[in-house]
Amino acid sequence: MTTTDPAASAATVPARPAPPSRRTPHVGSRGGARAESRTKVTLYVVGGTLATIVFLVPLLWSVLRSFQTNDAIVATTPTLAALRQFTTENFSALFTGDADIVRAVGNSLVVSVGTAVLTAVLATLAGYGFGRFSFRGGTVLFGLIVVTMMVPFQAIITPLYLQMNAMGLTDSRLGLVLFYSTVNLPFGVFVMRNAFESIPSEIEDSARVDGAGTLRSLVSVLRPLLVPGIATTALYAFLASWTEFLGALTFLTDDRLYTLPLSLVNLQAGAYGAVNFGYLVAGAVVAMVPCVILYVALQRFYVAGLASGAVKG
């Protein structure tokens, strides 16, 4: 009769794993995390509120002043009663008087929209070339385009004027569109090149397998994915040309072609050098309206377009 050693049989039985310990989280650490999170939220709210005040107060003050008379604006000691007096006289004088602000707004719209469209088209084509094709000297050429962003156009405005004058493009809205497109094109190429690089090339390869050509792939397949970049390029070009003053002053001499910034400057030349600040502030508010509307409408595309290409993988 064979006997077994209880100690040996116990050694052969696998040990049961110990149950995981259930430790109660420390109350102090949880309270500290909540306090830290509450502090971050408070700082975020306070910072956002201060930034909103800094940006909105000048705009609201301009709108408030545009509905007041010139005497109330230039008063050295403004009273509460004067601030409460509102009138539409400034806007009526702008649109019905001798300021001819309607023509100036039309000229600015033609120039700004033309610049935005031309810059977006050329930047998209150039960005497609730099983002999808590898050719000798491509990196150097793209670097030269980016470097031109660091050169202010005021430094080259004299040779540009001589060139455009030789081509007969001065005193022309078309010449102004070409000038603004040239100035804004480097930024547009930079944005669109990053936009193309953020899109996987397999999407375009699949379109080619289905029989789509280069132009068809660009228009039908890639275009919906490029909307943020295109909107960013067009919005930047529109805002830059809408508010630009020196280029319009240099290339335009016919007052019938004056853009809105030039017309607002002419408002300052009143009788005996007097300036009607009511008209001037009202004109500035008119100039702000398209910028605010476009930026609010395209804000999400603008942010996405600037961030395109920042993260790859």
Side-chain angles (χ1 to χ4, degrees):
M1 180 173 154
T2 306
T3 60
T4 58
D5 189 2
S9 60
T12 58
V13 177
R16 181 178 298 177
S21 60
R22 298 180 180 178
R23 292 184 298 176
T24 304
H26 196 270
V27 178
S29 62
R30 182 164 50 185
R34 288 181 179 177
E36 183 180 359
S37 176
R38 198 177 298 114
T39 303
K40 290 181 179 180
V41 172
T42 303
L43 292 176
Y44 177 81
V45 172
V46 172
T49 303
L50 292 178
T52 302
I53 292 174
V54 169
F55 284 102
L56 285 184
V57 166
L59 299 180
L60 297 178
W61 184 254
S62 299
V63 174
L64 175 66
R65 285 301 198 179
S66 66
F67 288 99
Q68 294 177 350
T69 61
N70 183 63
D71 295 335
I73 295 175
V74 300
T76 55
T77 55
T79 61
L80 185 60
L83 292 176
R84 291 178 177 177
Q85 294 178 0
F86 295 99
T87 177
T88 59
E89 175 186 350
N90 298 326
F91 293 97
S92 299
L94 282 181
F95 288 98
T96 60
D98 298 332
D100 208 3
I101 203 74
V102 176
R103 177 183 293 176
V105 171
N107 291 334
S108 291
L109 282 176
V110 171
V111 172
S112 300
V113 172
T115 301
V117 172
L118 183 60
T119 303
V121 171
L122 295 180
T124 301
L125 297 177
Y128 181 76
F130 284 113
R132 282 292 186 260
F133 300 105
S134 298
F135 53 92
R136 181 178 299 177
T139 304
V140 176
L141 183 58
F142 180 75
L144 291 176
I145 293 177
V146 174
V147 166
T148 58
M149 296 171 57
M150 308 176 189
V151 179
F153 77 89
Q154 292 85 351
I156 58 174
I157 197 168
T158 299
L160 282 176
Y161 175 81
L162 295 176
Q163 181 181 4
M164 292 183 64
N165 189 38
M167 299 172 61
L169 292 175
T170 55
D171 268 339
S172 169
R173 286 187 289 258
L174 175 60
L176 205 57
V177 168
L178 295 177
F179 167 70
Y180 288 150
S181 299
T182 302
V183 173
N184 294 297
L185 196 56
F187 176 79
V189 174
F190 174 77
V191 171
M192 293 309 300
R193 187 242 195 181
N194 291 341
F196 276 106
E197 287 190 344
S198 65
I199 299 176
S201 59
E202 289 78 9
I203 296 178
E204 194 173 359
D205 294 338
S206 300
R208 288 201 181 103
V209 170
D210 293 337
T214 301
L215 185 60
R216 182 64 180 274
S217 299
L218 180 61
V219 174
S220 301
V221 179
L222 299 180
R223 179 183 53 80
L225 304 176
L226 295 172
V227 169
I230 296 174
T232 300
T233 302
L235 180 61
Y236 182 85
F238 181 91
L239 297 180
S241 56
W242 178 265
T243 59
E244 205 280 326
F245 172 75
L246 183 59
L249 180 65
T250 303
F251 296 107
L252 298 178
T253 58
D254 189 355
D255 56 357
R256 295 174 300 177
L257 300 176
Y258 278 0
T259 57
L260 187 56
L262 291 181
S263 296
L264 293 182
V265 170
N266 288 338
L267 291 176
Q268 300 182 21
Y272 303 104
V275 179
N276 192 316
F277 289 98
Y279 296 172
L280 193 60
V281 176
V285 171
V286 172
M288 286 192 300
V289 170
C291 300
V292 173
I293 293 176
L294 276 179
Y295 184 78
V296 172
L298 301 178
Q299 179 188 12
R300 59 191 183 96
F301 297 113
Y302 187 73
V303 175
L306 290 178
S308 63
V311 180
K312 294 182 180 180

